[in-house]
Structure formats: structure tokens, C-alpha cells
Amino acid sequence: MTVFTGLRQSALVICALLALLAGEVTHAYGEIDRSSCCAGAEFCISPTAEAARPVESSLAGFFSNLFDTSSYPARWNCGQWSSMEGWLHIISDLGIFIAYFGIPVSLLYFIRKRRDIPFNSIFFLFAAFILFCGAGHLLEAIIFYYPLYRVAGLLKLATAMVSLVTLVVLFKLIPKALELPGLISTNEMLRQADATKSEFLANMSHEIRTPLTAILGFSEVLRDEDVSPQEKQHAVETIHRNGSHLLALINDILDLSKVEAGKLELEYRETNPRKIVEEVQELLSERAASRNLQLVPEFKGEIPQLIRTDPTRLKQALVNLVGNAIKFTENGKIRLVVQHNELESRLSFEVIDTGIGMSIEQMKRIFQPFGQADSSTTRKYGGTGLGLMITKTIASLLGGDVNVSSDLGEGSRFQFWICPEVIKQSSLKTEGASDNMDAPIAASQANRTGRILLVEDGLDNQRLISFLLKKAGFTVDIAGNGKIGMEETIDRWMSGEPYDLVLMDMQMPVMDGYTATRKLRDAQYPGHIVAVTAHAMKGDESSCIKAGCDAYLSKPIDRQAMIDEITRRMSEDRFVFDESVQDATRAHSR
């Protein structure tokens, strides 16, 4: 729209100037003597000059005689042109026209293929300017035979307008273009990004290989026959601890991909902040004790009993902050101070340590992806440098932020704060909340009977999951793929002895879990189907539910979460036997 507005304004200005100029010339000199249009009139003879009539000096007269060539001589007839001189001009003008036609075509092709290039409008204007210039040179060659001077004048006017608009737009774009990174700075940024990612991959390799070494090594220890029960127990605990570390590492990488894609989502629920702090303390107290550190939670003033926030992300952020404090502190204690500012609706969590501290330059890097204080920190203490960046993103999504203050060699203070909706004001006693938290566990310990079909193609997962279920009191059948699982589920349903629940892996050969579940629902199968899958991205849960699953569990399996989910599902009996429905199902399965 700006380009067209500029064109219109330029046209009006030029027309006004031309009208003013024409008026002044007419006023000063009267009617122009057309016989003196060429110096040396005897060499500027038009074959139709005798028949030419004066053209009315107006726009109407101009446009009505736009293509009339009787008023002017052809250029060959104006002057003493030799053949070499004339053809030199004609061939040169035609060559320039060809080049000026090819350049804008190339520019337009480039713009069409690279729509991501900024400032496309200036490319269009340059293309139009060059095309008009080329058309002008084409007319210069044509005028040697056909004196279309009026058309040439209009073309020059159009060229002038496009040139002026291009100039105006170019001046407006120059400040913006100067803000763009130069080629050298862009290359330097790419080089730094490549170096950062290479360092990150090296750190990741170290972080993955370290727990894998412990897992594989202690697995070999368990295979030895001359191992004491205490050594076996220690090996099992080590394998579990390092496996949990690997899982946390994978979750951090997945969270990083969500942060970079802007798809880190929250699930708001009513949450007891004291309970979150207690869970963080319980989770990390053993790690702190192993380094002879005290982990001390402190509650200043009145803390809301219930808030609406994402408890999983809040706990993740606090675990990251407290875990970092433990990692970088060699003696002393870690304080987790919780305080609520009712006026600002701000709930803050301060993690204060007596560790190695940071310099100002180091504090500038710690919230960047893949960044730690420096490479020596990574080598000495390990870690990927993702936790703090993810924590800062979580704080922002929860309406808050993370601030840090530190003195090198004296410790650091991280303040993480959010702005939650307060559901229930503070209470000195939180036993009610604790009772509610324990209720699902108590419920899950009852009524652990029933027959479950495990549809899973992995042999190790078959053995593991069936072992956990049998130990919990369930009877377990196994199907190796979705097709077998679907057929067995329908057969038992038709026989009047349906499975109480189907655990369905979603990625299998022959027939995957999505297809098997949809076919079961198409057959009007009413029973519980719970997805168990290694696809753990946010959209994967909704895909499973959309396919017809009632619930979703991600691998690696959390034993307690799986047992709780199964127990809740099996407390609801969905089977009401109807002969008409069973007949329709038999027909559908055939």
C-alpha cells in the first residue's frame, strides 16, 4: 500500500511541475516554432510534414495523438546519420533492453523462491525501475523508424515516478537494514552456536556414558555367583539411581525442545505449596546427606494452603535449583526459604547455599541454553547446562521469574517466584492436605484382583510389566502385537469372560496400538484400555486418548503410578452383556 501511495503522490507532483513548466514556457515565448525542432532543419525532413496538423496543447490532444508519428521525423531523417552510427545506437539500445529485461525477471524469480528474504518490496521496485529503463532503450531504437516521442515521454514519466518511489522506500529501509546482522557477524554467531552445540554434545556424551557405565558394570556384578546380599542390594540401588538420572536427562532434553518450539505447556491444579517443598526435601535430602550438607526448608510468615498452579513444573524448577545448590556446595547447608507476599500475589522460593559462588560474567551465562558458568565447571561438576534455562522458562510461564545474586567463593542466592491464584489461605496445620495426598495410595492397596491383557512386543518389557502386575496380585495374559491383542480381547468378551483391563503398547509390528484400539472401539468394546508407550511428548497423550484409550502411562514405567491407575480403572465395571451388541460385534470381527 505504501508503494502505490508513493507512486500516486509522485505522479501528481510531476504532472503539476510539467503543467507549471508548460505554462511558463508558453507565457514567455508564445507558440513554439516546430520548424526549429532540429538544428539544421534542412537535415530534419519528415515525409509527411506537409500533411501534419498542429496538435492541441492539452492532455486530450496529447493522448488522442499518442501513437501519431506525423508530427515528428524519424530519427534516421533527423541529421546526417551514417549507417554505422545509426546501427551502433540501435544495437546498443536493443542490447541494453535485453539485459534490462533479464535482470528484473531474475530478481522476481529470486523473490518467488526466497520469500523469507526481508524487504521484498524494494526488490519489486528495483525490478520495475530496471524494466522501465529497458523499455526506454527499446523505444530509443524504435524511434529511428517510428517517432513515438509521446509514448517515450510517458515512459520517461513512469520511470521517473518509479525511481522516486524507490528512492523514498530505500531511505526508509536503510535504518532497518543497518540493524540486520552483517555477514561476518552472522558467520561468527553460527560459529559460536556450532561450538556451543559441539561442547553440549560432548557434555551429553559424558553425562550419558557415566550412568551407563555404572548400570552396565553393576549388571555384570549381579551376574556373579559369589556376591554377598549386601553387595547385590548396593548394585541394585546403584542401577536404579543411575537409571533415574538418565531418565531425568532425557526429560530435560525433551523440555528443551518444547521450550525452543514454544510448546512447553502447563497443567494447572490445586496444589499445596508446603507439600511440594516437602517432596523436594524428601527427594534430595539423601543426595545432600551424601555430601555432608543440611537441606533446610524454611517458611516465613503465612503460606497459602492451596494455590492453583502446575505442581509438576513447580517441583521440577525447585529440584533444579536445589540440585544445583547441592552440586556446587562442598560444606555448610542449603536453605529453601518460602515466603508469600499477599499484596503482590507473589509466592517466592529462595535457594541459598554456601557453595563456590559465581562472578558477574558467570551469572550472565547460566540462564542460556547449554551454558554453565564455564567449561571448567562442566568438567569438574558435570551437568548439561539445561536446568536453569528450563527453570527460567517455567517461572515465566507461571507469571514470575528467576533472579540470582552471588559472591565468588561465598555462595549463591536464587530467588524463584510465581504469581499463583490462592485457593485457600494459610493454615498452620496441613494435616488435611497430607491426608488427601495419601488417600489415593491407600485406595490403590485394595481390590488388587482381576485379569489383565498386556499387549506388548518387547520381551524385556513383557517380563518386567507382567512381573510387577503379578506381584501386585493381578492375573496377566500377554499378546505380542496389536492384532493378536485385539482378537484375544474380543474373543474373551464374546465368551462372557472379558478382561478387566487391557494395557496397550502403542508402537508394535503387524498392528500398532492405535489401530488395535480404534478397531476395538469400532466393535463397541466397552472395557478399559490404558496406553503404555515410550512416546512421552505432550501430544502423544492426546493421540492415545483420541484413538480410544481411557488413560495414558509413559515408559519407563512408574510402578506405583501404574498400579494406582489400574486399581482406579478396575473399580468401575463397564460390562453389561447384551446379545444384540455381541451379535453385531461378531459380524464386525468377521
Side-chain angles (χ1 to χ4, degrees):
M1 187 62 69
T2 303
V3 173
F4 289 113
T5 303
L7 281 170
R8 186 173 65 250
Q9 293 174 349
S10 300
L12 292 174
V13 171
I14 291 174
C15 289
L17 289 174
L18 288 174
L20 180 62
L21 180 61
E24 291 295 329
V25 170
T26 303
H27 176 74
Y29 300 103
E31 190 67 27
I32 296 175
D33 184 5
R34 289 180 175 81
S35 65
S36 60
C37 64
C38 295
E42 64 273 15
F43 303 114
C44 199
I45 301 171
S46 172
T48 59
E50 296 294 335
R53 292 179 299 173
V55 175
E56 181 184 349
S57 182
S58 65
L59 287 177
F62 179 86
F63 282 104
S64 64
N65 294 276
L66 185 62
F67 296 98
D68 180 18
T69 61
S70 63
S71 300
Y72 309 100
R75 186 165 291 172
W76 274 119
N77 300 322
C78 189
Q80 293 180 326
W81 292 91
S82 67
S83 297
M84 185 180 71
E85 291 171 342
W87 282 107
L88 176 64
H89 281 268
I90 293 172
I91 293 173
S92 298
D93 283 324
L94 290 176
I96 294 173
F97 164 72
I98 293 172
Y100 278 17
F101 181 78
I103 292 173
V105 169
S106 302
L107 280 176
L108 294 174
Y109 176 79
F110 174 76
I111 295 170
R112 181 182 177 187
K113 293 295 184 180
R114 289 297 305 273
R115 299 182 184 275
D116 59 314
I117 297 296
F119 313 134
N120 274 350
S121 61
I122 197 66
F123 285 96
F124 281 109
L125 287 173
F126 273 129
F129 166 68
I130 296 171
L131 190 60
F132 278 118
C133 290
H137 282 278
L138 177 62
L139 266 179
E140 288 294 318
I142 293 174
I143 285 173
F144 269 84
Y145 295 94
Y146 301 99
L148 300 172
Y149 285 103
R150 296 183 183 88
V151 177
L154 281 179
L155 184 59
K156 289 180 180 179
L157 176 62
T159 305
M161 291 169 58
V162 173
S163 302
L164 290 173
V165 172
T166 304
L167 181 63
V168 171
V169 173
L170 188 60
F171 271 116
K172 289 183 177 180
L173 290 182
I174 284 176
K176 297 179 181 178
L178 290 175
E179 295 176 0
L180 295 175
L183 184 60
I184 296 177
S185 59
T186 302
N187 289 338
E188 179 63 21
M189 291 170 58
L190 292 174
R191 188 193 65 78
Q192 292 179 357
D194 185 64
T196 301
K197 289 186 178 180
S198 296
E199 185 176 348
F200 167 72
L201 290 175
N203 293 339
M204 288 294 299
S205 176
H206 174 269
E207 288 297 306
I208 292 174
R209 289 175 181 273
T210 299
L212 276 179
T213 300
I215 291 171
L216 295 176
F218 280 100
S219 298
E220 291 291 333
V221 170
L222 291 176
R223 298 174 65 179
D224 293 340
E225 297 182 357
D226 56 343
V227 178
S228 67
Q230 292 82 4
E231 290 173 329
K232 285 185 177 181
Q233 180 65 25
H234 175 70
V236 169
E237 291 175 354
T238 302
I239 291 172
H240 184 270
R241 183 172 62 254
N242 283 275
S244 299
H245 176 72
L246 275 178
L247 179 60
L249 183 62
I250 293 171
N251 287 335
D252 279 349
I253 296 173
L254 292 177
D255 284 341
L256 172 65
S257 67
K258 294 176 185 177
V259 168
E260 292 186 336
K263 295 182 178 179
L264 189 66
E265 299 180 5
L266 303 177
E267 295 182 6
Y268 286 90
R269 300 199 301 270
E270 293 185 4
T271 304
N272 185 341
R274 286 179 177 267
K275 191 67 177 178
I276 294 292
V277 172
E278 291 171 5
E279 290 175 359
V280 171
Q281 181 187 20
E282 182 180 356
L283 182 65
L284 298 177
S285 59
E286 183 178 348
R287 190 190 306 180
S290 67
R291 296 176 61 86
N292 296 319
L293 300 172
Q294 289 182 295
L295 177 54
V296 183
E298 301 177 13
F299 298 90
K300 287 189 175 182
E302 295 184 348
I303 307 301
Q305 186 171 342
L306 285 178
I307 60 175
R308 185 176 298 280
T309 188
D310 186 329
T312 302
R313 295 300 181 187
L314 175 58
K315 181 178 176 181
Q316 178 185 3
L318 293 178
V319 167
N320 284 340
L321 293 175
V322 176
N324 272 354
I326 294 173
K327 181 194 298 185
F328 297 112
T329 303
E330 296 181 355
N331 55 71
K333 65 180 180 179
I334 313 296
R335 297 168 57 205
L336 175 54
V337 182
V338 186
Q339 191 169 5
H340 180 241
N341 187 325
E342 189 172 354
L343 293 178
E344 298 180 1
S345 299
R346 175 185 292 191
L347 183 63
S348 65
F349 303 83
E350 281 191 281
V351 179
I352 307 169
D353 64 58
T354 56
I356 61 175
M358 291 176 288
S359 66
I360 295 176
E361 290 300 319
Q362 289 173 333
M363 284 189 286
K364 292 179 180 178
R365 291 194 295 267
I366 58 173
F367 292 111
Q368 297 175 1
F370 316 123
Q372 290 190 334
D374 52 42
S375 57
S376 62
T377 302
T378 303
R379 289 193 297 270
K380 183 175 181 180
Y381 296 98
T384 61
L386 299 178
L388 288 178
M389 187 272 289
I390 294 172
T391 298
K392 192 171 184 68
T393 302
I394 292 173
S396 178
L397 290 174
L398 293 175
D401 201 358
V402 181
N403 301 317
V404 59
S405 59
S406 182
D407 293 317
L408 193 61
E410 297 184 8
S412 302
R413 177 190 296 261
F414 284 84
Q415 185 186 45
F416 172 90
W417 57 273
I418 61 175
C419 294
E421 176 189 354
V422 176
I423 304 299
K424 187 175 182 181
Q425 286 295 344
S426 59
S427 173
L428 296 178
K429 296 182 179 181
T430 58
E431 289 82 4
S434 299
D435 293 341
N436 291 335
M437 294 291 291
D438 295 336
I441 299 177
S444 68
Q445 295 174 351
N447 302 322
R448 289 184 180 174
T449 59
R451 181 174 292 273
I452 296 173
L453 176 64
L454 172 61
V455 187
E456 166 68 59
D457 64 312
L459 295 179
D460 291 335
N461 285 332
Q462 287 178 0
R463 286 194 289 266
L464 172 64
I465 297 174
S466 62
F467 172 79
L468 295 177
L469 293 176
K470 290 175 181 177
K471 190 173 182 180
F474 301 109
T475 302
V476 182
D477 292 339
I478 296 175
N481 60 61
K483 186 174 184 297
I484 297 174
M486 179 196 67
E487 293 172 349
E488 290 189 7
T489 300
I490 290 180
D491 288 344
R492 288 191 64 92
W493 180 35
M494 293 299 99
S495 67
E497 296 180 353
Y499 286 108
D500 296 287
L501 185 137
V502 177
L503 281 179
M504 182 75 73
D505 184 23
M506 305 311 288
Q507 184 170 321
M508 294 176 289
V510 183
M511 181 185 289
D512 60 41
Y514 298 101
T515 304
T517 302
R518 279 193 292 265
K519 286 183 175 292
L520 286 170
R521 296 310 187 196
D522 290 343
Q524 301 182 36
Y525 177 72
H528 297 281
I529 303 176
V530 176
V532 182
T533 177
H535 295 296
M537 300 297 285
K538 181 67 178 179
D540 294 323
E541 179 176 359
S542 60
S543 297
C544 295
I545 301 301
K546 186 176 180 180
C549 295
D550 298 292
Y552 165 91
L553 298 171
S554 64
K555 297 176 182 176
I557 295 297
D558 183 325
R559 176 173 60 179
Q560 190 60 52
M562 180 179 66
I563 299 301
D564 290 347
E565 185 65 43
I566 290 173
T567 303
R568 281 194 295 269
R569 294 288 166 188
M570 292 177 65
S571 64
E572 176 190 355
D573 186 4
R574 290 186 173 182
F575 294 101
V576 177
F577 291 97
D578 188 333
E579 290 296 331
S580 62
V581 172
Q582 289 184 309
D583 291 341
T585 303
R586 292 190 186 98
H588 179 83
S589 61
R590 286 197 293 269

